[in-house]
Amino acid sequence: MVNVDEAIIAKYEYCGEHFEILVDADLAAEYRNPDSSDVAIEDLLAVEEIFKDSKKGDKASDESMNKIFETTDPIEVSKIILEKGTVQLTAEQKRHMQADKRKLVINKISREAINPQNGLPHPVQRIENAIDEAKVKFDPFTSVDQQVQTALKAIKPLIPIRFEKVKVAVRLPGSVAGSAYSQIHAFGEVLNEEWQQDGSWIGIIEMPGGLQDSFAAKMAEISNGEAETKSI
């Protein structure tokens, strides 16, 4: 149960009506995160009550809730308040969430983007430097995909970059090909494959451009250096 004394306020105003709920700061932030949320609304509420002014303990009237939400169910009303209203995050919470979102965006760009001048992925540090130089701001409550597009637009004047799929051919010795299959699929889609007379396996995998180096390294690791990979 969320401690009422430690709860923060989530607010929603519409058509002159004001509504508040008391929530756990971390769980509310996770609930509102578009990239990850398995948090049940019941778990983040300090009390299942809708307030007009939570500090005074003034509860919202059924009339006002019916007018705005068309329901007086506190769970359903709380969902709308969290989805459409504002949550009073502390400065530390906001910084932590922004740092997490920044990391997710950079990881996605490094995985899926390439330098179109040479067809190779950019080093993560280069992407980080470009994001810092472009002064990209990160919103804790905006999805990673949306912020990736914002970041790409900001850094394109600084480094040549684009999202692109590539095809990589790989040859593995038969002794490891079977056990490596699930790991190969983790990188992308197997477009073509065949077993050779010598027992080796050859496949063509389509994957995000930024994964080429990681894929080659993983194939070398699982085959004790016997794998052959080549972009095609």
Side-chain angles (χ1 to χ4, degrees):
M1 177 66 68
V2 178
N3 189 324
V4 174
D5 294 331
E6 296 177 357
I8 62 172
I9 300 171
K11 301 179 179 181
Y12 180 62
E13 294 186 42
Y14 189 74
C15 292
E17 299 287 355
H18 184 90
F19 304 93
E20 296 181 356
I21 53 176
L22 296 174
V23 299
D24 178 272
D26 293 329
L27 292 177
E30 186 176 347
Y31 181 87
R32 283 168 56 96
N33 185 342
D35 299 300
S36 64
S37 181
D38 292 325
V39 178
I41 193 79
E42 295 89 343
D43 294 336
L44 59 85
L45 292 174
V47 291
E48 291 187 10
E49 296 283 358
I50 311 300
F51 298 93
K52 181 177 181 180
D53 187 330
S54 57
K55 291 182 179 179
K56 295 181 179 179
D58 294 341
K59 296 180 182 179
S61 68
D62 288 350
E63 180 182 359
S64 64
M65 285 192 284
N66 272 319
K67 173 185 172 184
I68 303 301
F69 306 108
E70 298 182 346
T71 180
T72 59
D73 184 337
I75 298 300
E76 295 304 314
V77 172
S78 295
K79 289 179 182 178
I80 298 171
I81 292 174
L82 281 170
E83 290 166 5
K84 297 185 177 181
T86 58
V87 177
Q88 296 177 330
L89 294 176
T90 66
E92 182 180 355
Q93 287 169 329
K94 188 173 182 180
R95 282 194 299 270
H96 179 72
M97 291 175 67
Q98 286 173 324
D100 285 346
K101 190 60 61 88
R102 178 181 185 273
K103 183 177 180 180
L104 290 171
V105 169
I106 290 172
N107 285 344
K108 185 173 178 66
I109 292 174
S110 69
R111 283 172 56 87
E112 301 190 12
I114 63 167
N115 180 345
Q117 294 178 340
N118 57 21
L120 298 175
H122 283 287
V124 172
Q125 189 63 56
R126 184 180 299 159
I127 296 170
E128 290 180 343
N129 292 343
I131 281 176
D132 289 341
E133 185 177 346
K135 295 181 171 58
V136 178
K137 297 186 183 300
F138 295 94
D139 182 350
F141 300 126
T142 300
S143 72
V144 167
D145 287 340
Q146 285 180 284
Q147 295 201 63
V148 162
Q149 295 308 313
T150 299
L152 279 177
K153 184 177 179 180
I155 67 177
K156 275 183 177 179
L158 304 176
I159 58 174
I161 189 168
R162 72 168 180 242
F163 273 20
E164 185 173 292
K165 296 247 185 192
V166 298
K167 294 177 182 177
V168 179
V170 59
R171 183 187 186 100
L172 291 170
S175 58
V176 301
S179 60
Y181 211 66
S182 62
Q183 298 183 65
I184 292 170
H185 274 278
F187 284 87
E189 179 184 1
V190 177
L191 301 179
N192 193 18
E193 61 179 305
E194 61 181 55
W195 292 90
Q196 303 299 293
Q197 290 185 350
D198 63 0
S200 63
W201 179 88
I202 293 178
I204 296 175
I205 297 88
E206 185 177 60
M207 67 184 69
L211 294 182
Q212 297 172 75
D213 290 349
S214 298
F215 178 74
K218 176 56 71 173
M219 294 303 102
E221 177 189 334
I222 63 181
S223 66
N224 294 317
E226 294 185 47
E228 301 174 27
T229 58
K230 181 182 179 181
S231 296
I232 58 176

